[in-house]
Amino acid sequence: MKLIKRLTRVLPLYGWIPLAAAFAWNMLVYSGAKVIAGGWHHYNIETEIDRMIPFLPWTVSIYFGCYIFWIVNYILCVRQGRKEAYRFLSADFLAKCICLLFFLFFPTTNTRPQITGDGFWNQAMRFLYWIDAPDNLFPSIHCLVSWLSYIGIRGRKTVPYWYRGFSCVAAISVFISTVTTKQHVIADVAAGILLAEGCYFAAAHTALSAQYGKFFDRITGRILQRTGWEVSGEE
């Protein structure tokens, strides 16, 4: 019980299950699309500008490091209260649904550079290319999630101004890393940003957020019923 109390100081009980569900849905969309459409024809939407962007292996540190940024900011966004948490998480859910449609009906790929040399960053890039095939590119989930991580706390006075600024810079750094590691092209980045903004707006101006909240409140309530705990958090 003491452990639960400590954990609720980091993440309110109402956020546990929907946040876990968001992670599971992201993995299902990304991996499921690869299984279904992996052998299908993929379109290459690279432009001349994309080909002019330099390949910078050291930026893989940003590409991998952003996972820490996402974890911290997703928790921060959910801590803003039940209403804002469900707006944020329902936007994330909707965005991943749209990503799945693109991955299946407009699968894309790009051209990766030949990596030469044995330096640390070159080895890190080889590892990235080994674990991640050049598909599921449009829209970029890396850019989508990074921008959602920023707009979820944008304008929130409960979050220090300096950290909001840092989050914006971090998200933009991720955008840059996706094209300098040749994981994505500019169109992928733009689509990820627009999708984040559009879904966040839709979550606030439709019944999506409220229905999403009712669904997870019901599930969370049933799971916690036997423990005697209440789902806490601001309305």
Side-chain angles (χ1 to χ4, degrees), residues 208-228:
L208 174 64
S209 180
Q211 293 302 316
Y212 181 96
K214 288 180 181 178
F215 176 77
F216 277 103
D217 273 349
R218 191 179 303 117
I219 292 178
T220 302
R222 289 177 180 175
I223 292 176
L224 299 176
Q225 187 175 16
R226 294 182 179 179
T227 68

Side-chain angles (χ1 to χ4, degrees), residues 148-166:
L148 265 180
S149 293
Y150 166 60
I151 63 178
I153 62 171
R154 183 176 57 191
R156 298 290 166 194
K157 294 183 179 180
T158 53
V159 179
Y161 180 79
W162 71 266
Y163 189 78
R164 283 179 274 155
F166 165 80

Side-chain angles (χ1 to χ4, degrees), residues 52-148:
M52 291 172 61
I53 295 174
F55 173 57
L56 303 174
W58 68 266
T59 57
V60 71
S61 60
I62 301 173
Y63 193 86
F64 278 135
C66 67
Y67 287 94
I68 298 173
F69 167 58
W70 295 347
I71 292 170
V72 172
N73 279 47
Y74 266 54
I75 291 175
L76 279 177
C77 291
V78 173
R79 284 171 56 92
Q80 299 306 304
R82 188 186 274 107
K83 181 179 178 180
E84 290 304 321
Y86 289 154
R87 176 185 179 182
F88 174 78
L89 291 172
S90 62
D92 178 85
F93 172 74
L94 176 60
K96 301 300 173 53
C97 289
I98 295 173
C99 283
L100 179 60
L101 293 177
F102 274 105
F103 294 164
L104 294 179
F105 296 103
F106 185 62
T108 59
T109 188
N110 66 353
T111 304
R112 288 176 166 178
Q114 186 69 32
I115 301 175
T116 58
D118 297 320
F120 175 80
W121 298 120
N122 285 329
Q123 294 291 0
M125 283 302 310
R126 289 192 183 94
F127 175 72
L128 174 59
Y129 286 175
W130 177 63
I131 63 173
D132 192 23
D135 51 20
N136 288 355
L137 303 185
F138 181 92
S140 165
I141 286 185
H142 249 69
C143 296
L144 161 67
V145 172
S146 294
W147 197 240
L148 265 180

